[in-house]
Amino acid sequence: MNPLRRIFDKARPLFEEGGRLSPLRSVYEGFDSFLFTPKTTSSSGVHMHDSIDSKRIMITVVVALLPCLLFGMYNTGYQNWLGAGAVAAEYSFWGMMLYGFLAVLPKLLTAYIVGLGIEFISAQIKHEEIQEGFLVTGILIPLVCPVNTPCWMIAVATAFAVIFAKEVFGGTGYNIFNVALVTRAFLFFAYPAQMSGDKVFVATQPIMGVGLTVNFADGFSGATPLGQAATHAGGEMTLTNIVGDPLSLWDAFVGLIPGSFGETSTLCILIGAAILLIGGIADWRIILSVFVGGTVMGFVAHTFDSPSYPCSFLTPLEQLCYGGFAFAAVFMATDPVTAARTAAGKYVYGFMIGVIAILIRTYNNGYPEGAMLAVLLMNAFAPLIDYCVIQGNKRRRRNRLISKA
Amino acid sequence: MAEKVSLRSVLFNPLSRNNPVVVQVLGICSVLAVTVKLAPALVMGLSVIVVLAFSNVIISLIRNTIPTNIRIIVQLVVVAALVIIVDQLLQAYMYDVSKQLSVFISLIITNCILMGRLEAFAMSNKPWPSMLDGIGNGAGYAIILVIVAFFRELLGSGTLLGYQVVPQWCYDHGYVNNGLMILPPMALIVVACIIWVQRSRNKELQE
């Protein structure tokens, strides 16, 4: 028996009924089943059992997010080096990684401490087991925020989202809206100056002696490609990186562009998508239909391009690679709790997310990115879509019976 | 003695246990609209108290002469006349606040609390209890308005009644006003929080 198991077994009486720490029972149970396997199995009835449980689902999603997280670290450092004009002279892969790691670590910790703290407290109050739901949310939150978001904002937004988007609905598995996106939406509407614009997406200060100082003054713009497109006025539109060199679609695909921490690299997102699909976590129907919807709407917008909506000059492929579209398609739209559940409904749900994301992005210049709002909107419609699909099925079966009779 | 107790409950019940906003969930639209700043919320609350008290008294005085099938129209005429008076007074003496409240003073006419109290109370009670009922319900509405506006102005603008409350050094250290507080969704969520607190304190309100 390993030592960890022994510690847990020794501590068990403290947490059981009548023990000194019995109010913290669910904390104990949570850690116990997180580190080992749940002790209880069902004792009656026949159960078809799959080895996949919510713990395994969450861990798989976290693994699928790792490429994005790692690339986000590298990109944060890369943008910092690039802004300081030092990529060629002082290129240092590990320096960039370390810089990005130091930049994201406080945000990751903040999101986990605040979110898990609230989950633990509410589990104690409700006398329920602690759910694993926040494992993924906690890593998603720093990934969808600009790198310069202050930690206290993340703390406030996480607390808001966990309480009002999740706990009041009954906790993990009962939420209507994607918790990570509610966090981002809260930040976006509450602190717009810190969530968009041309200053927030590039870290400009050295952190603990790592990294370089970027001077905003000398012709430097940290605007994301979509931010540039939204504020573009007149003439040929050329998207540039932060030091003014033109950007290719390849740069955007690989992800070496300014943007929210983990969502710049379409390549890494596709790796994550592959992990999710092979692991059987995400549904390919949703991912595929989001991309189809985005392509269709991007094509429509590009066909009817007009100078008053500069985003419509982007080709459909560029629409898919820039901004948070791919990230939303793979990691946000596929959230099994908030997505549509019927197979036919998933096509409609995903397609509408794709269409609305590009629609908002193109035809509302105030919002350079629409993926977040599109997913949240369709979260609200998912139950309705399912209802319609189920009613349709029932009607078809009834008609079949009638025609037979 | 019995009447005294009931008079007191007529006045004070609407403040908490039978609050028109958080228990009966009436008049929500104006709670969303006028609570961005504390000053307009105070004025709005006062206006509703005045209009509700007077219209309750007037309707109660003439309750036995109103033909039943046109009573809603009569009630509307009384409320509309009072609302116009209040609106004109505000425009004359508090022009800035009246500008901020814009159409919402006039929309007191459509406030469900008024029609509700006229129908439910003034039509079947004497003038004095009706007046207390009007004041009580108006005050219940005003309390919620002021609480919501307090939090929205404090967190959304860092001010109270226009005076800077959040000190400058907070801003210097990176504090930023919460822009979402200015937007209507936060009014709903603040009202929801008030309901939450109230329900968890009053067990008999829990459903």
Side-chain angles (χ1 to χ4, degrees), chain A residues 189-376:
Chain A
F189 288 108
Y191 308 109
Q194 278 71 28
M195 289 299 287
S196 52
D198 58 356
K199 300 270 188 289
V200 300
F201 291 104
V202 176
T204 54
Q205 297 298 325
I207 303 169
M208 295 170 70
V210 184
L212 306 152
T213 309
V214 178
N215 198 350
F216 267 117
D218 38 350
F220 164 96
S221 163
T224 63
L226 286 178
Q228 296 170 26
T231 51
H232 172 78
E236 184 82 6
M237 185 165 72
T238 331
L239 302 177
T240 59
N241 66 7
I242 57 171
V243 286
D245 299 330
L247 271 179
S248 67
L249 189 58
W250 178 250
D251 290 331
F253 182 73
V254 174
L256 292 173
I257 52 174
S260 295
F261 191 87
E263 68 183 18
T264 55
S265 170
T266 312
L267 179 67
C268 291
I269 293 164
L270 289 181
I271 297 172
I275 297 173
L276 287 184
L277 291 178
I278 293 168
I281 311 296
D283 198 313
W284 60 269
R285 295 180 183 88
I286 295 178
I287 300 181
L288 181 75
S289 53
V290 175
F291 278 109
V292 169
T295 314
V296 169
M297 191 61 215
F299 183 73
V300 171
H302 193 55
T303 312
F304 302 102
D305 55 355
S306 95
S308 44
Y309 304 112
C311 234
S312 59
F313 290 121
L314 297 175
T315 61
L317 205 56
E318 286 175 317
Q319 295 272 27
L320 300 188
C321 286
Y322 288 140
F325 185 87
F327 194 86
V330 172
F331 293 109
M332 297 300 186
T334 56
D335 174 7
V337 177
T338 55
R341 304 190 181 195
T342 51
K346 281 172 179 167
Y347 289 118
V348 179
Y349 168 83
F351 186 79
M352 288 308 290
I353 287 179
V355 168
I356 294 169
I358 304 296
L359 191 73
I360 295 174
R361 191 189 266 190
T362 311
Y363 295 106
N364 186 342
N365 294 336
Y367 297 147
E369 178 54 293
M372 165 186 83
L373 299 170
V375 176
L376 285 176

Side-chain angles (χ1 to χ4, degrees), chain B residues 15-158:
Chain B
L15 293 186
S16 168
R17 207 176 320 149
N18 198 14
N19 189 290
V21 182
V22 297
V23 177
Q24 302 171 19
V25 197
L26 299 173
I28 288 291
C29 347
S30 51
V31 172
L32 301 190
V34 301
T35 52
V36 174
K37 291 273 158 62
L38 195 50
L42 278 170
V43 173
M44 180 75 180
L46 265 177
S47 312
V48 170
I49 294 177
V50 169
V51 173
L52 192 48
F54 279 106
S55 59
N56 254 5
V57 171
I58 294 170
I59 291 296
S60 169
L61 282 172
I62 59 174
R63 68 182 187 279
N64 294 326
T65 54
I66 303 175
T68 324
N69 38 5
I70 60 160
R71 68 184 192 283
I72 301 281
I73 299 172
V74 174
Q75 290 164 6
L76 270 181
V77 168
V78 171
V79 177
L82 286 165
V83 166
I84 290 170
I85 293 171
V86 168
D87 195 22
Q88 294 297 317
L89 280 176
L90 284 181
Q91 283 185 24
Y93 293 104
M94 305 179 77
Y95 187 68
D96 292 337
V97 176
S98 137
K99 272 288 222 202
Q100 286 177 33
L101 285 168
S102 68
V103 75
F104 287 97
I105 288 289
S106 324
L107 283 180
I108 293 178
I109 301 170
T110 59
N111 195 321
C112 333
I113 298 171
L114 275 112
M115 299 307 288
R117 290 333 290 172
L118 294 178
E119 271 290 286
F121 200 90
M123 285 300 285
S124 50
N125 281 286
K126 291 196 175 122
W128 175 238
S130 296
M131 182 167 167
L132 291 182
D133 178 77
I135 294 173
N137 276 283
Y141 171 82
I143 283 179
I144 302 301
L145 226 60
V146 168
I147 296 175
V148 175
F150 174 84
F151 285 111
R152 286 184 76 188
E153 184 172 356
L154 181 65
L155 299 175
S157 313

Side-chain angles (χ1 to χ4, degrees), chain A residues 128-182:
Chain A
E128 282 172 1
E129 300 298 311
I130 292 162
Q131 300 285 331
E132 292 93 339
F134 198 78
L135 276 184
V136 171
T137 313
I139 196 170
L140 280 174
I141 289 169
L143 287 184
V144 294
C145 290
V147 66
N148 287 350
T149 318
C151 282
W152 71 268
M153 285 184 189
I154 290 186
V156 171
T158 306
F160 176 86
V162 172
I163 293 173
F164 286 101
K166 192 171 179 187
E167 291 306 328
V168 293
F169 287 105
T172 304
Y174 297 96
N175 46 316
I176 298 173
F177 297 106
N178 186 313
V179 182
L181 278 183
V182 172

